[in-house]
Amino acid sequence: MAKTKVWLFRLDHMYRYSHPEFEGVIFKNDWLMIKDTTLTINAGYAWDGATPKWQPFGLFTVGTPDGALRFNLPWTYQATLVHDALTQFRDTLPLSKRQVTQIFDDQLYELKWPLRKLYVWAVDRFGPQDFAGDR
C-alpha cells in the first residue's frame, strides 16, 4: 500500500504564538513570520497533526493520536501546528533542533498533554534532524 500524505487541519485564521526561543529571530516567508519573539502562521496553512499518519484506501486515518477534543479542537492542535510549521521550513529558518523541540515540549506542557514526554522523545529521536540553526 502506498503511503499517502494526510493533511488533517487547515488554519481558517492567522495564528500567533510567543516563545523566548524566538528572541532575536527574524524570519519571513509566504506562510510564517517570526519577529519580536512572536511566530505568526498565515491562514490557509495545512498540516497533519501528530505523525505518522496514513489513510488506507482513503477510508479512515490510522496513526499517532492528536488527543480528545478540547474546545472543538484536538488537544495537541496548537503544538503540532507550530512544530510542523517550524520543521517544514527548517532548511531556511534560523532555529536549531534543540530550540524547536523545546518549543514543542513547552507547548505540550502548557496544554497538560499526558503523553508529553513520549511525544517529545519521539520528535527528538525520529523527527527531522537537519535544522539550519545547527549549521
Side-chain angles (χ1 to χ4, degrees), residues 21-27 33-38 93-95 99:
E21 292 292 349
F22 297 135
E23 179 72 39
V25 176
I26 297 174
F27 180 84
M33 177 176 72
I34 301 174
K35 183 180 176 187
D36 300 328
T37 71
T38 301
L93 190 60
L95 291 171
Q99 289 173 297

Side-chain angles (χ1 to χ4, degrees), residues 8-135:
L8 292 181
F9 308 114
R10 186 174 184 272
L11 275 182
D12 61 1
H13 61 280
M14 190 180 296
Y15 176 82
R16 287 190 172 92
Y17 178 72
S18 294
H19 193 281
E21 292 292 349
F22 297 135
E23 179 72 39
V25 176
I26 297 174
F27 180 84
K28 185 172 191 246
N29 68 17
D30 291 341
W31 289 109
L32 58 97
M33 177 176 72
I34 301 174
K35 183 180 176 187
D36 300 328
T37 71
T38 301
L39 166 69
T40 302
I41 303 174
N42 292 329
Y45 183 80
W47 74 106
D48 55 0
T51 53
K53 281 190 181 34
W54 303 271
Q55 285 187 327
F57 310 107
L59 298 174
F60 52 90
T61 301
V62 177
T64 309
D66 292 296
L69 292 182
R70 294 182 147 212
F71 306 108
N72 246 3
L73 295 172
W75 201 336
T76 62
Y77 182 87
Q78 291 88 357
T80 61
L81 163 64
V82 170
H83 188 264
D84 279 20
L86 296 178
T87 57
Q88 180 179 354
F89 299 109
R90 69 188 180 277
D91 291 338
T92 54
L93 190 60
L95 291 171
S96 68
K97 175 186 163 200
R98 183 206 59 78
Q99 289 173 297
V100 172
T101 302
Q102 185 62 58
I103 293 164
F104 185 62
D105 186 30
D106 290 347
Q107 281 193 290
L108 292 177
Y109 179 80
E110 291 166 11
L111 294 166
K112 297 178 177 37
W113 176 239
L115 301 176
R116 180 186 121 242
K117 290 182 180 181
L118 175 63
Y119 276 42
V120 171
W121 175 82
V123 301
D124 187 51
R125 174 105 173 152
F126 301 112
Q129 304 294 311
D130 54 336
F131 286 77
D134 289 325
R135 292 184 204 129

